[in-house]
């Protein structure tokens, strides 16, 4: 029987996400930004709720194109508040617009990827937790990253959100050691992470 991290349960959508996406290093800055936004929308909710709505989110937010979203205003906020396919939370919607502007102010995709991967020197950090109960919800690193992102103008990026985001995007390999993906994810990481340069 295949052993997995216990958090994904047996929901087929959740299992597929765990087996193919969660913990795989993401080096594309725009994709990193999209996942940060979705993790922000998760605040107070379960990730499976966001996962089930992800396609609707992508349609509503124009494929999560920061160049488009950064120019939005009250009309777009009102439109999104009327979209039952997404999480209709004014603060999170408005934060997405502000986060698009902050992302562009940092320099866009490559600059954002370089910034984020710079916190781990471009190399995914491998944890060795035997069970979900051992996994923390934040760390000194995520506290610092949260402070830095907030200073750069980002919202909905507290230390707990950042920790979950780093796990999802593969900056942390937090598959439990008994999970079949633990070694697979570690072996998939290239010796020199593409798209990251020490600056």
């Amino acid at each position: 029987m295949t052993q997995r991290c216990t958090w994904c349960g047996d929901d087929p959508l959740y299992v597929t996400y765990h087996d193919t996406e969660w913990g795989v290093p993401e080096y594309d800055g725009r994709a990193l930004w999209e996942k940060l936004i979705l993790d922000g929308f998760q605040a107070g909710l379960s990730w499976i709720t966001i996962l089930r709505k992800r396609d609707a989110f992508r349609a509503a937010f124009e494929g999560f194109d920061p160049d488009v979203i950064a120019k939005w205003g009250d009309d777009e906020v009102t439109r999104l508040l009327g979209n039952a396919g997404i999480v209709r939370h004014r603060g999170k919607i408005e934060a997405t617009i502000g986060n698009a502007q902050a992302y562009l102010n940092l320099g866009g995709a490559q600059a954002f990827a370089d910034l984020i991967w710079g916190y781990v020197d471009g190399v995914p950090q491998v944890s060795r937790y035997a069970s979900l109960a051992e996994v923390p919800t934040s760390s000194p690193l995520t506290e610092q990253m949260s402070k830095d992102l907030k200073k750069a103008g980002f919202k909905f990026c507290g230390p707990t959100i950042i920790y979950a985001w780093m796990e999802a995007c593969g900056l942390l390999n937090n598959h439990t050691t008994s999970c079949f993906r633990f070694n697979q994810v570690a072996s998939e990481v290239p010796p020199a992470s593409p798209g990251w340069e020490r600056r």
Side-chain angles (χ1 to χ4, degrees), residues 33 97-108 149 152-154:
W33 181 80
I97 297 171
N99 288 350
Q101 294 165 352
Y103 167 93
L104 294 176
N105 286 339
L106 285 174
L149 287 173
F154 287 82

Side-chain angles (χ1 to χ4, degrees), residues 24-32 109-110 113-114 117 122-124 169-170 189-190 192-196:
V24 176
E26 178 59 74
Y27 298 105
D28 178 79
R30 195 223 50 86
L32 284 167
Q110 190 61 59
D114 286 350
W117 278 99
V123 180
C169 295
V189 176
S193 302
W196 184 84

Side-chain angles (χ1 to χ4, degrees), residues 68-80:
V68 173
I69 296 171
K71 299 172 185 174
W72 285 359
D74 292 341
D75 288 347
E76 286 79 12
V77 172
T78 299
R79 172 179 62 81
L80 291 168

Side-chain angles (χ1 to χ4, degrees):
M1 182 177 175
T2 300
Q3 285 191 289
R4 294 182 172 86
C5 299
T6 57
W7 56 260
C8 67
D10 57 7
D11 182 293
L13 181 64
Y14 226 2
V15 169
T16 298
Y17 171 73
H18 168 274
D19 289 1
T20 63
E21 186 175 347
W22 192 78
V24 176
E26 178 59 74
Y27 298 105
D28 178 79
R30 195 223 50 86
L32 284 167
W33 181 80
E34 174 183 332
K35 291 183 177 184
L36 178 60
I37 297 303
L38 289 173
D39 266 308
F41 270 98
Q42 182 199 350
L45 304 169
S46 64
W47 178 245
I48 189 61
T49 298
I50 302 301
L51 202 56
R52 288 173 179 151
K53 293 176 176 285
R54 183 160 63 168
D55 287 344
F57 267 107
R58 285 173 170 164
F61 283 89
E62 302 289 340
F64 284 102
D65 184 339
D67 290 295
V68 173
I69 296 171
K71 299 172 185 174
W72 285 359
D74 292 341
D75 288 347
E76 286 79 12
V77 172
T78 299
R79 172 179 62 81
L80 291 168
L81 287 171
N83 187 334
I86 67 169
V87 174
R88 293 178 286 181
H89 185 290
R90 179 180 291 274
K92 293 176 181 179
I93 293 169
E94 291 177 342
T96 300
I97 297 171
N99 288 350
Q101 294 165 352
Y103 167 93
L104 294 176
N105 286 339
L106 285 174
Q110 190 61 59
F112 188 64
D114 286 350
L115 172 68
I116 298 307
W117 278 99
Y119 284 93
V120 292
D121 289 333
V123 180
Q125 305 298 290
V126 180
S127 303
R128 296 187 179 276
Y129 298 117
S131 70
L132 184 61
E134 297 176 25
V135 183
T137 57
S138 65
S139 71
L141 176 60
T142 66
E143 290 172 8
Q144 184 60 55
M145 192 184 299
S146 173
K147 288 180 182 178
D148 293 345
L149 287 173
K150 287 177 180 178
K151 187 175 180 181
F154 287 82
K155 295 181 179 178
F156 284 95
C157 57
T160 300
I161 289 174
I162 294 297
Y163 194 88
W165 176 56
M166 290 181 71
E167 291 178 304
C169 295
L171 285 93
L172 298 175
N173 178 0
N174 267 9
H175 284 281
T176 50
T177 52
S178 61
C179 176
F180 82 102
R181 286 292 285 159
F182 175 78
N183 287 321
Q184 285 184 0
V185 168
S187 67
E188 289 169 3
V189 176
S193 302
W196 184 84
E197 296 176 356
R198 186 182 298 275
R199 292 184 184 274

